[in-house]
Amino acid sequence: MASPVGRQYGGARTRLLDELRLKGVRDLAVLRAFDLTPRHLFVPTGVQYRAYEDTPLPIGSAQTISQPSVHARYLELLAFTGSEKVLEVGTGSGYQTILLAHLAARVFSVERIAPLLDRAREVIRECGVSNVSLMFGDGTYGWKAFAPYDAILVSAASPDVPQPLVDQLADGGRMLVPVGGREEQRLVLITRNGVSLARKELDPVRFVPLLGDHGWTDQA
């Protein structure tokens, strides 16, 4: 279980929680995870004053940290019980990784951009997390060594659901992935029931492209 890092920006974090409630977030465990997670540590110093606004922010390497209400939507949809083994595709800043650490038993996260992973590793260590493992690599392949996973979260947009991730989903497991073009996507929920897969299209979303052998294969 992760632990909070001080109470700096405590008032701003409280206002963010109020905003999330107004936007319909009801899961108390999810709200608690946001209260415990110091978002200001996961963004560049120059935008820390905006860390608790419900808005995406740049984190370098042409990537962004999603707005908190998007993270909250992801986490509520997966309905964590606290016992799950989770795969996160796209560590990014590490903010969602810490949120997951408060909600699941074990988190495995893969990031393809080395400077982001190095920075995320530092901040995650600062947060005192003991249930997160990080790997540098192409997240579209997942992390087969620790499969299957009870939940898989993909933090970037893919032209379709990467098959290696489907293969690593446990029976009864759930996967969320933005699917569509480079500019606009739909959030897709995949649920495994034995050999059967149920696919449900949810909210329209906008994420950066998922680059990799089973996602977008070029930068264009």
Side-chain angles (χ1 to χ4, degrees):
M1 176 66 77
S3 60
V5 178
R7 299 308 298 173
Q8 189 180 7
Y9 293 95
R13 193 150 55 239
T14 297
R15 289 191 291 275
L16 173 60
L17 291 174
D18 291 341
E19 186 169 358
L20 292 177
R21 291 188 188 95
L22 286 172
K23 291 185 175 180
V25 180
R26 294 290 178 263
D27 189 317
L28 295 179
V30 170
L31 290 168
R32 177 178 178 273
F34 278 92
D35 188 35
L36 293 174
T37 305
R39 191 175 188 244
H40 61 278
L41 297 182
F42 297 90
V43 299
T45 304
V47 294
Q48 280 190 345
Y49 71 100
R50 300 188 62 196
Y52 295 97
E53 296 177 11
D54 189 28
T55 187
L57 294 171
I59 56 172
S61 303
Q63 303 297 301
T64 60
I65 182 174
S66 295
Q67 64 194 84
S69 58
V70 171
H71 287 303
R73 172 68 168 155
Y74 256 60
L75 300 174
E76 280 202 314
L77 282 168
L78 290 170
F80 290 104
T81 65
S83 63
E84 291 86 358
K85 180 169 57 172
V86 180
L87 173 66
E88 178 187 40
V89 178
T91 313
S93 69
Y95 178 64
Q96 181 175 258
T97 315
I98 293 289
L99 293 172
L100 288 167
H102 286 285
L103 293 164
R106 190 73 190 173
V107 181
F108 297 87
S109 187
V110 185
E111 174 56 57
R112 60 175 291 277
I113 301 175
L116 288 184
L117 185 63
D118 291 343
R119 173 58 183 159
R121 194 184 306 276
E122 291 177 10
V123 180
I124 289 170
R125 186 181 300 118
E126 186 176 351
C127 289
V129 165
S130 61
N131 62 340
V132 168
S133 299
L134 302 175
M135 181 176 75
F136 173 71
D138 181 350
T140 67
Y141 284 98
W143 195 340
K144 191 174 181 180
F146 296 99
Y149 299 98
D150 304 300
I152 299 176
L153 293 84
V154 183
S155 300
S158 180
D160 204 347
V161 181
Q163 187 61 43
L165 302 185
V166 174
D167 295 340
Q168 292 173 37
L169 194 61
D171 189 14
R174 296 90 65 201
M175 174 166 54
L176 280 170
V177 52
V179 175
R182 287 180 177 268
E183 298 300 324
E184 294 184 357
Q185 308 90 34
R186 282 274 178 181
L187 189 58
V188 173
L189 174 65
I190 305 291
T191 305
R192 177 179 292 281
N193 183 10
V195 296
S196 299
L197 294 170
R199 175 174 173 143
K200 183 178 182 180
E201 293 196 359
L202 303 168
D203 311 340
V205 290
R206 296 187 69 178
F207 280 79
V208 296
L210 177 67
L211 299 179
D213 289 349
H214 295 274
W216 296 100
T217 56
D218 59 72
Q219 300 276 355

